[in-house]
């Protein structure tokens, strides 16, 4: 038995006219590593340096710090990447007329407030200087691990 796999001209035209499926949404940067992480960070850097900071950066003060090496603060990278993803979703054609207002209200204000808070990820960084942060210590014991086996008695 043979199966006819030919396509009629009408079917070919319908396939050619069908819109391509949309690309998959970008992955959150904390799920990336290696080259994928580097490419995502590069895109984020371009947006941060050419859109976000020139328009929304405001002056750096002790009550509103900004680190010149923001990419060395994982929390800042995560927050800014989320902000950038929301920007792409809400300020493009699919965002609708109120998309930019939603982005400003729901995303820009909270993220910039968190990043520029005196106790936020840039605490200790001064104009033109970066200070690495110490992460909180964590007890080495895992309280949720299975208990160790009882000692063997001979």
């Amino acid at each position: 038995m043979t199966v006819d796999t030919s396509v009629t001209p009408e079917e070919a035209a319908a396939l050619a006219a069908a819109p391509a499926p949309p690309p998959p949404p970008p992955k959150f940067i904390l799920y990336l590593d290696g080259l994928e992480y580097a490419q995502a960070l590069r895109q984020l850097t371009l947006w941060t340096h050419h859109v976000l900071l020139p328009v929304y950066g405001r002056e750096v003060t002790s009550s509103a710090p900004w680190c010149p090496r923001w990419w060395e603060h994982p929390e800042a990278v995560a927050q800014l990447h989320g902000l950038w993803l929301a920007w792409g979703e809400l300020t493009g054609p699919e965002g609708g007329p109120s998309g930019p207002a939603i982005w400003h209200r729901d995303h820009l204000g909270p993220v910039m407030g968190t990043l520029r808070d005196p106790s936020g990820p840039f605490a200790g960084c001064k104009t033109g200087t970066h200070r690495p942060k110490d992460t909180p210590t964590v007890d080495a014991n895992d309280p949720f691990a299975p208990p160790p086996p009882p000692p063997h008695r001979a």
Side-chain angles (χ1 to χ4, degrees):
M1 175 176 177
T2 61
V3 177
D4 183 8
T5 58
S6 62
V7 177
T8 67
E10 294 80 16
E11 292 170 328
L15 289 171
K27 292 180 186 173
F28 184 51
I29 199 163
L30 294 184
Y31 296 132
L32 305 176
D33 58 12
L35 183 58
E36 277 188 310
Y37 180 86
Q39 290 171 335
L41 187 58
R42 176 67 179 142
Q43 290 177 316
L44 177 60
T45 300
L46 289 171
W47 179 79
T48 300
H49 291 186
H50 297 285
V51 176
L52 182 69
L53 292 178
V55 177
Y56 304 104
R58 299 186 185 166
E59 187 174 359
V60 175
T61 67
S62 60
S63 62
W66 183 267
C67 183
R69 298 174 66 120
W70 59 265
W71 56 89
E72 292 188 19
H73 298 272
E75 179 186 352
V77 169
Q79 293 259 1
L80 289 168
H81 194 256
L83 187 62
W84 177 66
L85 291 174
W87 166 272
E89 181 179 328
L90 293 168
T91 65
E94 293 81 29
S98 61
I102 293 168
W103 181 80
H104 284 93
R105 181 194 68 204
D106 294 350
H107 302 282
L108 177 67
V111 168
M112 292 303 275
T114 298
L115 291 178
R116 308 248 1 227
D117 187 278
S119 63
F122 303 142
C125 296
K126 306 290 184 221
T127 302
T129 63
H130 163 74
R131 189 192 75 150
K133 304 299 178 275
D134 293 329
T135 57
T137 58
V138 178
D139 191 351
N141 295 324
D142 182 351
F144 304 104
H152 178 68
R153 295 187 179 208

